[in-house]
Structure formats: structure tokens, C-alpha cells
Amino acid sequence: MAAENRGPRASFIVCTRNRADALEACIRSIEAACQSLPAVTSELVVVNNASTDDTAQRLARIAATASIAMTLVMEPRPGLAAARNVGIERSRGQILIFVDDDCEVDRGYLQDLERHYAAGERCIIRGGRVELGCPRDLPFTIKRARTRARFTRDVHPGGFILGCNMTMHRQVALRIGHFDERLGAGSPLKSAEDTDYLVRAFQLGIPIEYVPDMAVLHHHGRDTREAIERLHRDYSLGNGALCLKHLVKAPWLLRHFFWTTRSACHELLGGPRFDPEVSLSHWPIVFMNLLGAIKFARLAITRRPHDPELTQSNRQLIR
């Protein structure tokens, strides 16, 4: 990675796979945010994660006329964690900003970010508000809390801050290391690469903070209950893997599994469901947590967490 004093202040890192339409809107919103605060030097790193649509062609066209510095990288190994690892390596900024390809950042995003980081606290992971981008989508994978908060063991790390809107200083990423490539979208365990990162940070004594600004709009496109239930199961699969992975160093994660199991039993007796707004059940969480733990145990025996060196041989720098 480049030395901090040689790079821009902020690096937006966007990983994408077969979402060309949404990606263009995401990039334009980042450009607008950067234009609104030109005093903060910024760059955009887009990792094309084995897309089979016209993402590569659109990216080349966008980059040719972009108002901010863009680095385009092809990562042929499918998986969000692998793509994020490459994005970190190719970025040069002091502050890393992870934004999903189906999100649009608020025009005042950099003003909010600068205000928080100007306070001087560098060793921290900070995430902002995530609002629904389309009113037709169901209220899921969003974070609307209006009060600032810091993570504690009493709160499940999943969803405390969302990976689609997560920031940190470069030194924090260096200290924590790579995202675990067994986890996350496109991997065998389908989710929780961001939650795993938070748990590892917390174990290192790195604070995790949610702030109610630094907002993005999430156009997740899930407007049916079936789509939300599938995503809910995927999240629970990854969280089950997370419990087993951190069983020794973070056994407090098991408390959340026990609490969920207890709530599932209460649900059978007329107790509240997991998400009253969408009316999801606790039982899929319990079952998928157990399945995720079993899958992780198998992967732990047969597969390394990630490649120790992400070399130029397994990806192509486009620009």
C-alpha cells in the first residue's frame, strides 16, 4: 500500500458484480459528493468482481469522462471479500470508504466524514446511516437510527454498522488485515465478511461507531417477502459461521445465539417475531446459524481463510 502522505485524503472503494445500471448511479453520486468538497482530495477504486454483463464497457466509458481520479480493477475470483481485499490494496487514500454498488452517497457525505475524523481519533471503524433508496423496497438492510452509538458486546455486531457504508483509516485496515474470503456475498457462507471484520476489530480494542449522518441510499431492489426471507437466511448462515470462528476468542457471540433460540421458543407461544416491521421469524435464524457453523467447520479443514498475498498474477489492472 502507498504511504499515507503520498495519497489522497479519501478512497471510495466500490466492488461490483453484474449491476451495471445501479453502478453508474453510485459512481455519479460519489462524483457529486467529491465536487461538493473539492478541498478533500478523493479517488474512486472500482473492483469489477467477475461481472458477465456490460459492466467493464460502462466503467471504461465512465472513467473516460470522470471528474475524480478512478482506478478500475478486474478481480476474477468471485466473492465480495476478495474484491474488497483487492480494493484496499489498489487504494491510496488515508481514509477508506466502502460503499456498495447499489448505493448512492449523500452529497454532503464528505463534509460529515471530515467533521468526524477531524476530531483526531484515527483508530476507529465508523459507519453512517443507510436509508431506503426506493420506497417500493421492503425496509431491510438499512440503518435509520438517529443517535450516535458505540458497539458493545450486548449488541449483535451484525447490522450495527453496515458494510455498504463503512469507513476507517488505512492504519486500521492494516492492523486488522484482510477480509475473510470464506465469508461474504459470492462465497460459500454468503454473508458476514463485514461483521467478521467488526468482531476482529473489537477484539483488538478498536472502537466501532455508528453516526446518524454520512448517509447513503440503498437501492437493494428486494420488494417481495420471499426475497427478504432469502437474504435473511443468508445473513443467518454467515452469522452461524461467525460464532464458530470466534468461539474461543469471542465466546460472547454465543449469547446472541442463545437469546435468539429463546426468542424463537417464545415466538411459538405468541411472543414477538424477529422483525415486526417485515414480520420475520426467529426460527430460520436458529436453523441457518447451525448450518453456517457446520459449513464453516468443513471449510476450516479444507480451505485457508484467504490468500496471504494477492498478487498481480491473479487480477488485471485495467487503469
Side-chain angles (χ1 to χ4, degrees), residues 143 145 149-161 195 198-199 202-203 208 210 239 242 250 252-257 259-260:
K143 176 87 174 189
R150 292 219 170 178
F151 175 74
T152 68
R153 294 178 181 180
D154 294 331
V155 179
H156 194 283
F160 182 78
I161 63 175
T195 310
L198 298 183
V199 172
F202 187 74
Q203 293 305 106
I208 301 160
Y210 167 78
N239 285 332
L242 200 71
W252 49 270
L253 285 169
L254 282 176
R255 288 186 301 178
H256 297 285
F257 173 75
W259 290 339
T260 300

Side-chain angles (χ1 to χ4, degrees), residues 155-207:
V155 179
H156 194 283
F160 182 78
I161 63 175
L162 303 184
C164 65
N165 186 8
M166 181 169 66
T167 72
M168 69 195 74
H169 256 277
R170 177 171 297 277
Q171 290 93 335
V172 171
L174 284 169
R175 186 175 172 192
I176 300 171
H178 284 120
F179 284 89
D180 189 336
E181 295 177 7
R182 296 170 294 189
L183 302 168
S187 76
L189 292 165
K190 298 186 178 181
S191 69
E193 87 295 334
D194 49 354
T195 310
D196 171 68
Y197 213 71
L198 298 183
V199 172
R200 288 157 55 197
F202 187 74
Q203 293 305 106
L204 292 170
I206 298 170

Side-chain angles (χ1 to χ4, degrees), residues 11 20 23 76 98 118 143 155 157 165 204 219 245 247 272 284 295 302:
S11 292
L23 176 63
F98 294 93
K143 176 87 174 189
V155 179
N165 186 8
L204 292 170
H219 297 268
K245 176 180 178 179
L247 184 62
K295 284 195 169 188
T302 61

